[in-house]
Amino acid sequence: DAKTTQPNSMESNEEEPVHLPCNHSTISGTDYIHWYRQLPSQGPEYVIHGLTSNVNNRMASLAIAEDRKSSTLILHRATLRDAAVYYCIPLSNQAGTALIFGKGTTLSVSS
Amino acid sequence: GAVVSQHPSRVICKSGTSVKIECRSLDFQATTMFWYRQFPKQSLMLMATSNEGSKATYEQGVEKDKFLINHASLTLSTLTVTSAHPEDSSFYICSARTGQIDSYNEQFFGPGTRLTVL
């Protein structure tokens, strides 16, 4: 499994953009970069994923470095409901393989 | 998106008893399901990978005789914590990935089961 490095915690104010970085220098060429988040006392939920190109969806954007050794999750306008632990996980797309969670980044959002 | 349910959402039991947790994929067939455990202020730890109709594969350090996993159908997996002790108190989360071909296999998570062993 590819190792990841994420800041332990980050803080943001409501309505401001948030950039959550992740280093995954040992990622394999076929691994997708997955981002999940976990709100307190809930199961993780999918945020976004990408392989090589930058990706956008209604929740966030994912910027992937050209060498794929790092990526950044971008929340364009943070809300209080975005306060969660965010996990960056490189993993293949095979159905039988499980996401392996690191420590993630705890995002705090202030009003 | 696809939904994974768990039952019960929380359970309190006495030390020495066994507890069964059910995990269901409600609108897709899950050939493989996963069980995780999460202690307070820690990350999720993968316990085992459960394949329909066959024995589960346990991660190193997870006792297979203590954590019995059954995956009898494509939509149901169960985790039984046998002879539970206070150190087994934790948040147990099940998960499944869709098995699509040539498409992204998102991993969906259940809401978790809070187990407290007195």
Side-chain angles (χ1 to χ4, degrees):
Chain A
D1 300 330
K3 290 198 69 173
T4 59
T5 303
Q6 296 180 255
N8 288 333
S9 62
M10 292 186 68
E11 296 180 355
S12 174
N13 295 316
E14 264 192 304
E15 303 297 316
E16 289 184 357
V18 181
H19 291 233
L20 298 164
C22 179
N23 286 320
H24 33 77
S25 58
T26 60
I27 189 171
S28 120
T30 56
D31 284 350
Y32 282 77
I33 299 160
H34 308 254
W35 283 82
Y36 279 72
R37 72 180 185 181
Q38 186 181 25
L39 280 66
S41 298
Q42 295 186 28
E45 66 172 342
Y46 167 84
V47 178
I48 201 166
H49 77 281
L51 187 60
T52 55
S53 304
N54 294 344
V55 184
N56 299 297
N57 66 20
R58 63 177 180 81
M59 288 182 71
S61 294
L62 177 59
I64 301 172
E66 202 169 322
D67 63 6
R68 294 194 355 112
K69 292 184 178 181
S70 65
S71 62
T72 302
L73 178 71
I74 303 164
L75 305 179
H76 296 285
R77 294 176 67 186
T79 69
L80 296 177
R81 288 175 295 179
D82 291 323
V85 181
Y86 287 79
Y87 299 95
C88 154
I89 308 171
L91 185 69
S92 78
N93 195 37
Q94 293 179 6
T97 54
L99 291 166
I100 302 299
F101 290 79
K103 295 181 179 179
T105 297
T106 300
L107 175 66
S108 304
V109 181
S110 304
S111 58
Chain B
V3 177
V4 174
S5 71
Q6 277 184 247
H7 178 80
S9 58
R10 58 178 62 230
V11 57
I12 301 172
C13 69
K14 293 182 179 179
S15 186
T17 60
S18 294
V19 174
K20 180 185 282 188
I21 303 170
E22 288 188 353
C23 175
R24 295 181 184 273
S25 56
L26 297 185
D27 50 3
F28 68 101
Q29 292 186 332
T31 307
T32 306
M33 287 185 171
F34 311 100
W35 287 94
Y36 294 82
R37 178 168 57 179
Q38 185 174 34
F39 293 109
K41 299 193 183 301
Q42 293 188 23
S43 187
L44 285 79
M45 185 191 78
L46 179 67
M47 299 176 67
T49 299
S50 164
N51 292 298
E52 184 263 338
S54 62
K55 291 182 179 180
T57 302
Y58 291 81
E59 296 297 304
Q60 193 172 7
V62 179
E63 300 175 58
K64 63 179 181 180
D65 294 330
K66 181 167 185 63
F67 299 99
L68 302 179
I69 293 173
N70 183 278
H71 192 162
S73 77
L74 289 173
T75 59
L76 173 64
S77 176
T78 60
L79 168 68
T80 302
V81 183
T82 62
S83 186
H85 291 284
E87 58 265 31
D88 299 322
S89 298
S90 188
F91 192 48
Y92 291 86
I93 305 169
C94 75
S95 176
R97 291 184 82 176
T98 56
Q100 302 173 93
I101 298 175
D102 297 329
S103 184
Y104 177 64
N105 288 309
E106 183 175 335
Q107 188 163 337
F108 295 94
F109 289 83
T113 297
R114 178 78 57 191
L115 171 63
T116 302
V117 184
L118 302 177

